Amino acid sequence: MTDQISIYSLARSQLILGGQKSGKSRRAELLARAWLDGALDREAALIATGQPWDDEMRERIARHRRDRAERVPGMATLEEPLDLAAMLARHSTPQRLLVVDCLTLWLTNWMMPAQPSEELVRGWEGQCTAFLAALQAAPGPVILVGNEIGLGVIPLGSQVRAFVDALGVLNQRAAQSCETVTLMCAGLPLALKGPQP
């Protein structure tokens, strides 16, 4: 994927979908870098939804932080596994771009938490609705990153099938709420909604 992205590629709200290692997070970072390079008074922050539940995930998070610091110096990292609506309301400004990475882990935190809770699972729909409303109300640009996992075989377990279904619905709702939607494949962007990348 080219490191050259025009600031004109940046919509007020956009969703970047793709499979694992498709280039979706890298594209979001390149857009954030272009945003920061566009004016001295601009800021960028990544809202990370992943949680370090085991050694592999702790190392993955640390590696992402190191790589991000090299690719996008000056981009802050905020962590929020559950309440993205409050994070958007609190941190979005006209001069600050927010990258939410990623919607898939956010949904996982609600539907498949490390400490299972029926109350948490039941709260998902309200949180999703509040998040999409906060996205619409955000005064600054927001980039959402998420996985497209519904292209493979249908999972055997009912819990996993429910998750895949819920993620498909979340992606559809986010796509409807965003000005642009890009599908990443092998590091290449394909515009699904809005202007070509």
Side-chain angles (χ1 to χ4, degrees):
M1 176 170 39
T2 177
D3 278 358
Q4 299 302 314
I5 288 190
S6 165
I7 192 61
Y8 301 108
S9 302
L10 184 62
R12 191 197 66 75
S13 59
Q14 63 183 284
L15 172 63
I16 302 172
L17 293 171
Q20 192 167 337
K21 294 298 180 193
S22 63
K24 58 193 181 300
S25 294
R26 179 136 169 104
R27 180 165 181 83
E29 291 171 359
L30 291 172
L31 287 166
R33 190 172 72 196
W35 167 262
L36 288 171
D37 290 347
L40 292 175
D41 62 342
R42 289 182 175 167
E43 300 175 12
L46 178 124
I47 301 173
T49 60
Q51 297 183 79
W53 291 115
D54 58 33
D55 289 341
E56 187 275 335
M57 192 62 172
R58 277 188 280 281
E59 174 51 35
R60 182 179 290 259
I61 289 170
R63 186 177 65 249
H64 281 281
R65 280 182 178 266
R66 288 190 304 269
D67 293 347
R68 198 166 46 248
E70 286 181 25
R71 288 193 289 260
V72 194
M75 185 159 82
T77 299
L78 309 168
E79 297 181 5
E80 178 51 57
L82 294 171
D83 196 352
L84 288 184
M87 289 298 279
L88 289 185
R90 187 176 315 123
H91 294 285
S92 181
T93 71
Q95 294 305 113
R96 182 182 297 131
L97 175 141
L98 296 177
V99 175
V100 176
D101 197 351
C102 77
L103 295 181
T104 311
L105 288 176
W106 177 53
L107 177 62
T108 301
N109 296 336
W110 279 93
M111 291 192 71
M112 299 175 161
Q115 274 88 43
S117 161
E118 276 300 313
E119 186 176 312
L120 194 62
V121 173
R122 283 194 305 271
W124 162 248
E125 186 57 39
Q127 175 58 211
C128 184
T129 300
F131 167 68
L132 293 171
L135 175 65
Q136 292 294 321
V142 179
I143 300 170
L144 307 177
V145 178
N147 291 82
E148 177 50 71
I149 65 172
L151 299 174
V153 298
I154 297 174
L156 291 176
S158 62
Q159 186 180 26
V160 179
R161 282 194 303 273
F163 178 83
V164 173
D165 289 348
L167 182 59
V169 171
L170 172 59
N171 287 346
Q172 287 184 48
R173 292 178 70 185
Q176 289 171 353
S177 298
C178 287
E179 291 179 3
T180 66
V181 180
T182 303
L183 178 65
M184 296 299 298
C185 184
L188 300 173
L190 173 65
L192 302 180
K193 178 180 178 182
Q196 290 292 317

